[in-house]
């Protein structure tokens, strides 16, 4: 039974793009996960919205198919009760024509009774954010509601500023939730806890003790069915200026004065403001061999499927410490890892392994924390070796881990904005990335199943990348 303090108030949840890929793979399964965990309101309705003429029953069947493919399986939870609360409003939705959304919303609100909170979730391409926001305002659905925007929130400083203007013409900032699911991962949140709540690391989190920070998200998959989307973004927009920059902010932030949502997000956004703007001398782009033969990809495409960057944080704590960021498709292994590489002791011991003190956070799945240390090798001699301790975050505790999307959806339902991005931080992000968004060099070809272009190794010198050594 869920803690009553974690159960939100009655809610009508409108999912724009409800029959699209993002809703299918991530949002709907995350919502069902909350139902299994007992973390949905006592009374709620989810209204899917889209252009098609889909009946409530057909939409319920589509949701069941989503769960069969991406889980949790319908048989693993309260499917019958859950599905009875799923509605669909077809006919699209824009400023001049609401389709049947207003009618279905009245139906949902009447079924719940009272004044349920209203949440708008935009599981649509970024180009649709502005028109949908204006439509919400035009049809009187903005007051006291909340709105969730997927990433990327813009594709440049100019598009960010325009979307931010439209959003604030309709909503107050306190109503806006800009989602970046990497911030909802258990291990990402443990970066803060392990650092600020443990004296072992709190005093060593600076350039005196840390040699480099590496945020590494290699993927073994190709672009597959997402080729047309990927052609419009590439690795820089899809991963670097969204997920990797935000995780770097989590690692580099100063200690918050409190654990309230605004206090946490303020510190994260403040340190992003210290990121030095990137130039091509600190960035390597790559494209896996065979990408241009993918359906939907231009024969001469210069879209990067790999990016590695050396980022500098210009404040006293991190002066001289490179933050090495890397992500790519079709790589040798799949990870979502943050590695903090501590410097070797100045004196040290004879024969000790070098570069062995590493604190790593694996963000994928339920997450885990790894600590590598120099230890004595068992036996009669004083040989030194390296050993690793692992702390799994999804098992061994009385409460199970929530997937990132489920955690963030629950935060929206509860009105907690601490793990969501703010406009000041996003403006800084576009400033940092401005120099590498246009006039890109030809990406360097790399073999599928490799660690990307060899030139990326130069960014880590005099050290190396921790993964793929």
């Amino acid at each position: 039974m869920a803690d009553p303090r974690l159960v939100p108030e009655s809610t009508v949840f409108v999912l724009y793009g409800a029959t699209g890929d993002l809703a299918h793979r991530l949002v709907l399964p995350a919502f069902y996960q909350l139902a299994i965990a007992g973390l949905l309101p006592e009374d709620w309705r989810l209204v899917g919205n889209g252009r098609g003429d889909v009946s409530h029953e057909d939409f319920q069947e589509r949701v069941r198919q989503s769960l069969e493919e991406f889980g949790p399986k319908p048989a693993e939870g309260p499917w019958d009760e859950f599905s009875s609360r799923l509605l669909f409003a077809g006919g699209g939705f824009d400023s001049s024509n609401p389709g049947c959304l207003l009618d279905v919303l009245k139906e949902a609100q009447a079924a719940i009774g009272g004044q349920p909170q209203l949440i708008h979730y935009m599981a649509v391409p970024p180009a649709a954010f502005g028109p949908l926001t204006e439509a919400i305002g035009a049809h009187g659905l903005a007051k006291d509601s909340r709105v969730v925007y997927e990433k990327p929130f813009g594709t440049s400083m100019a598009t960010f500023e325009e979307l931010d203007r439209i959003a604030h013409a309709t909503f107050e900032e306190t109503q806006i939730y800009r989602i970046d699911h990497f911030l909802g991962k258990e291990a990402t949140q443990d970066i803060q806890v392990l650092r600020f709540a443990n004296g072992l690391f709190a005093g060593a989190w600076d350039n005196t003790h840390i040699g480099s920070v590496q945020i590494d998200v290699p993927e073994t998959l190709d672009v597959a069915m997402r080729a047309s989307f990927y052609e419009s973004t590439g690795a820089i927009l899809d991963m670097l200026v969204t997920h990797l920059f935000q995780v770097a902010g989590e690692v580099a932030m100063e200690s918050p004065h409190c654990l309230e949502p605004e206090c946490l997000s303020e510190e994260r956004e403040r340190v992003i403001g210290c990121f030095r703007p990137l130039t091509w001398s600190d960035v390597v782009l790559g494209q896996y061999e065979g990408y241009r033969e993918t359906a939907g990809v231009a024969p001469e495409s210069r879209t990067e499927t790999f990016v590695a960057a050396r980022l500098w944080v210009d404040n006293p704590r991190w002066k001289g410490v490179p933050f090495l960021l890397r992500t790519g498709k079709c790589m040798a292994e799949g990870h979502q890892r943050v590695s903090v590489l501590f410097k070797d002791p100045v004196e040290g011991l004879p024969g000790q392994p070098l570069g062995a003190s590493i604190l790593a956070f694996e963000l994928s799945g339920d997450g885990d924390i790894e600590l590598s240390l120099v230890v004595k090798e068992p036996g009669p001699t004083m040989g030194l070796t390296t050993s690793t301790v692992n702390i799994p975050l999804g098992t061994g505790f009385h409460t199970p881990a929530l997937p990132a999307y489920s955690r963030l959806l629950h935060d929206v339902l509860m009105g907690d904005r601490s793990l969501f991005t703010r406009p000041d931080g996003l403006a800084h992000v576009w400033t940092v990335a401005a120099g590498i968004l246009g006039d890109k060099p030809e990406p360097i070809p790399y073999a599928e199943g490799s660690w990307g272009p060899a030139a990326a190794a130069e960014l880590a010198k005099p050290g190396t990348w921790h993964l793929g050594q």
Side-chain angles (χ1 to χ4, degrees):
M1 186 70 180
D3 185 332
R5 293 170 298 179
L6 301 178
V7 177
E9 63 182 274
S10 298
T11 301
V12 176
F13 190 95
V14 185
L15 180 58
Y16 302 93
T19 57
D21 183 63
L22 178 63
H24 179 62
R25 291 184 299 108
L26 293 171
V27 183
L28 291 167
F31 212 82
Y32 191 57
Q33 184 69 56
L34 291 179
I36 292 174
L39 293 173
L40 286 180
E42 290 187 9
D43 207 354
W44 59 271
R45 296 294 185 277
L46 187 152
V47 179
N49 176 253
R51 297 186 182 279
D53 185 15
V54 178
S55 69
H56 298 333
E57 294 75 18
D58 287 343
F59 179 56
Q60 292 162 10
E61 175 59 22
R62 290 190 184 203
V63 175
R64 189 192 66 78
Q65 292 172 3
S66 294
L67 301 180
E68 289 289 354
E69 184 172 357
F70 296 102
K73 303 292 185 185
E76 297 173 6
W79 169 247
D80 290 340
E81 179 186 356
F82 182 88
S83 62
S84 69
R85 300 171 187 242
L86 303 175
L87 307 173
F88 193 83
F93 181 68
D94 58 42
S95 296
S96 60
N97 180 14
C100 64
L101 180 59
L102 299 182
D103 293 333
V104 176
L105 284 179
K106 289 179 181 178
E107 176 186 342
Q109 291 165 338
I112 293 175
Q115 297 292 323
Q117 67 176 349
L118 180 61
I119 294 174
H120 307 277
Y121 193 108
M122 298 195 185
V124 295
F129 291 169
L132 277 176
T133 300
E134 292 172 333
I136 289 169
H139 295 292
L141 299 178
K143 182 176 172 56
D144 298 326
S145 68
R146 296 170 188 157
V147 60
V148 183
Y149 293 102
E150 274 287 342
K151 62 92 179 171
F153 194 79
T155 56
S156 65
M157 179 64 85
T159 57
F160 157 73
E161 290 176 340
E162 175 62 9
L163 181 53
D164 194 52
R165 182 193 65 76
I166 293 173
H168 284 109
T170 303
F171 299 101
E172 299 294 328
E173 174 60 25
T174 54
Q175 297 174 267
I176 299 173
Y177 294 72
R178 303 170 192 83
I179 199 168
D180 186 318
H181 74 274
F182 268 54
L183 297 182
K185 293 175 177 288
E186 283 288 340
T188 305
Q189 297 163 62
D190 258 299
I191 293 172
Q192 292 179 4
V193 175
L194 187 139
R195 173 188 169 188
F196 296 131
N198 293 277
L200 176 64
F201 298 106
W205 213 259
D206 57 28
N207 56 5
T208 301
H209 302 90
I210 294 174
S212 72
V213 175
Q214 301 186 14
I215 302 173
D216 217 343
V217 187
E219 299 179 69
T220 57
L221 300 175
D222 59 19
V223 299
M225 302 301 292
R226 300 178 71 222
S228 58
F229 165 81
Y230 211 78
E231 274 288 274
S232 66
T233 58
I236 291 177
L237 288 178
D238 187 42
M239 292 292 296
L240 183 68
V241 302
T242 51
H243 303 317
L244 303 193
F245 276 10
Q246 293 298 328
V247 174
E250 288 287 302
V251 176
M253 66 188 286
E254 295 296 315
S255 175
H257 298 296
C258 66
L259 295 179
E260 292 302 313
E262 287 303 312
C263 193
L264 285 166
S265 59
E266 180 180 344
E267 289 301 334
R268 181 173 59 248
E269 310 310 337
R270 178 179 288 128
V271 79
I272 290 175
C274 297
F275 290 3
R276 186 185 304 174
L278 288 171
T279 65
W280 289 119
S281 62
D282 284 317
V283 177
V284 172
L285 303 183
Q287 184 186 90
Y288 68 80
E289 295 170 354
Y291 173 76
R292 294 177 179 177
E293 282 71 57
T294 305
V297 173
E300 302 299 322
S301 173
R302 293 164 59 95
T303 299
E304 75 282 357
T305 64
F306 171 98
V307 60
R310 180 172 51 203
L311 178 71
W312 303 98
V313 182
D314 288 333
N315 65 15
R317 180 183 297 276
W318 297 108
K319 182 178 181 181
V321 178
F323 279 62
L324 301 173
L325 317 179
R326 180 174 63 172
T327 185
K329 300 287 188 181
C330 288
M331 296 185 69
E333 297 175 12
H335 292 277
Q336 297 174 359
R337 181 161 296 217
V338 177
S339 302
V340 181
L341 281 63
F342 289 88
K343 295 179 179 179
D344 296 313
V346 174
E347 297 296 332
L349 294 173
Q352 82 169 55
L354 299 178
S357 298
I358 301 171
L359 176 64
F361 302 83
E362 179 61 43
L363 310 185
S364 60
D366 290 339
D368 59 47
I369 299 173
E370 290 185 356
L371 178 61
S372 297
L373 299 169
V374 176
V375 297
K376 177 188 174 295
E377 195 170 56
T381 65
M382 197 60 179
L384 303 181
T385 189
T386 302
S387 186
T388 300
V389 179
N390 181 277
I391 304 174
L393 300 176
T395 58
F397 297 88
H398 69 282
T399 53
L402 277 177
Y405 261 90
S406 297
R407 166 60 196 268
L408 293 173
L409 279 177
H410 185 257
D411 283 354
V412 175
L413 290 164
M414 297 297 295
D416 184 342
R417 299 174 69 241
S418 57
L419 297 177
F420 295 82
T421 58
R422 301 192 335 176
D424 50 353
L426 290 175
H428 291 316
V429 161
W430 292 117
T431 299
V432 174
I436 61 168
L437 292 178
D439 297 323
K440 297 178 185 177
E442 182 79 19
I444 303 169
Y446 63 94
E448 294 187 43
S450 71
W451 283 99
E458 297 295 318
L459 300 178
K461 288 185 175 179
T464 61
W465 292 94
H466 176 51
L467 291 179
Q469 289 189 51

